[in-house]
Amino acid sequence: MRLSLPVIATLIAAMTALALPDTGQAQRRPSETVNYAYADVLRVDPVYEVVRFTEPSEECYDEELRVRERDSGAGGTVLGAIVGGVIGSNVGSGAGRRAATAAGAVVGGAIGHNIDKNNGGEREYTERQHRCRIVDVEREERRVAGYDVEYQYKGDVYFSRMAYDPGSKLRVRVSVEPADS
């Protein structure tokens, strides 16, 4: 099995750390020096923070648009062709009547198209459209960031900032060690 240089260096460092003498600073016996007890909570004050954030929101509005439509002239052409065909059908007889009807329809269609074209052939109007878009809205929210807790243990008063409201009793860790260390 081949070991790479970083693996060998890590193994040497671990073995060296294990071989060093224990000065008592790195490892203590917590079961002999730490006890747990309960302190009376005197006061709890929530600590607030203001958080700013943005969130997407849909914004809708009505917009008035001016619409311009160009008339194709089809209405005038069709109406002129019908009128021209009716007039042409009243002229002549037999095969001449058919030719007069066709000619009247063609001429009437052309006249109707020109009348439509000369009368503007274009119309303009206002139309309301409902539109929506997504916008970022900045919000501000007040949140509880923690609790300032005043508590009493064996006649002494202490203060701590905690992440939760401890209630009327607070479990405390009591650690005793010599002052001459």
Side-chain angles (χ1 to χ4, degrees):
M1 170 170 92
R2 295 185 76 192
L3 296 176
S4 66
L5 188 57
V7 172
I8 292 172
T10 303
L11 288 173
I12 290 172
M15 290 170 45
T16 305
L18 291 174
L20 291 175
D22 184 13
T23 60
Q25 297 294 329
Q27 183 179 10
R28 299 185 188 256
R29 289 181 255 171
S31 62
E32 293 179 15
T33 60
V34 175
N35 290 316
Y36 293 93
Y38 285 91
D40 293 322
V41 174
L42 303 174
R43 192 177 81 224
V44 177
D45 295 322
V47 177
Y48 295 98
E49 68 180 355
V50 176
V51 179
R52 288 183 177 90
F53 57 95
T54 59
E55 64 183 5
S57 178
E58 185 177 46
E59 180 180 271
C60 296
Y61 55 95
D62 288 335
E63 183 176 38
E64 288 197 13
L65 299 174
R66 291 180 65 154
V67 179
R68 297 179 103 183
E69 286 185 350
R70 181 143 184 91
D71 192 3
S72 65
T77 304
V78 170
L79 186 60
I82 292 171
V83 170
V86 169
I87 292 172
S89 69
N90 290 326
V91 176
S93 62
R97 179 182 263 179
R98 281 192 207 134
T101 302
V106 170
V107 171
I111 292 171
H113 180 73
N114 283 336
I115 290 172
D116 243 3
K117 188 174 165 185
N118 292 335
N119 284 338
E122 189 173 25
R123 68 184 187 125
E124 187 174 305
Y125 59 94
T126 304
E127 180 178 277
R128 283 190 101 126
Q129 287 191 351
H130 188 72
R131 296 186 180 224
C132 294
R133 64 182 179 164
I134 302 297
V135 295
D136 283 334
V137 177
E138 188 169 307
R139 302 237 188 259
E140 197 172 272
E141 189 174 282
R142 197 173 113 156
R143 296 181 184 168
V144 175
Y147 296 88
D148 284 340
V149 179
E150 180 181 353
Y151 55 97
Q152 184 175 16
Y153 178 70
K154 290 196 174 183
D156 291 327
V157 176
Y158 301 93
F159 296 93
S160 292
R161 179 161 290 178
M162 303 180 69
Y164 61 94
D165 182 342
S168 62
K169 294 283 186 184
L170 175 64
R171 186 171 184 224
V172 294
R173 183 176 56 143
V174 181
S175 175
V176 180
E177 57 184 84
D180 295 329
S181 57

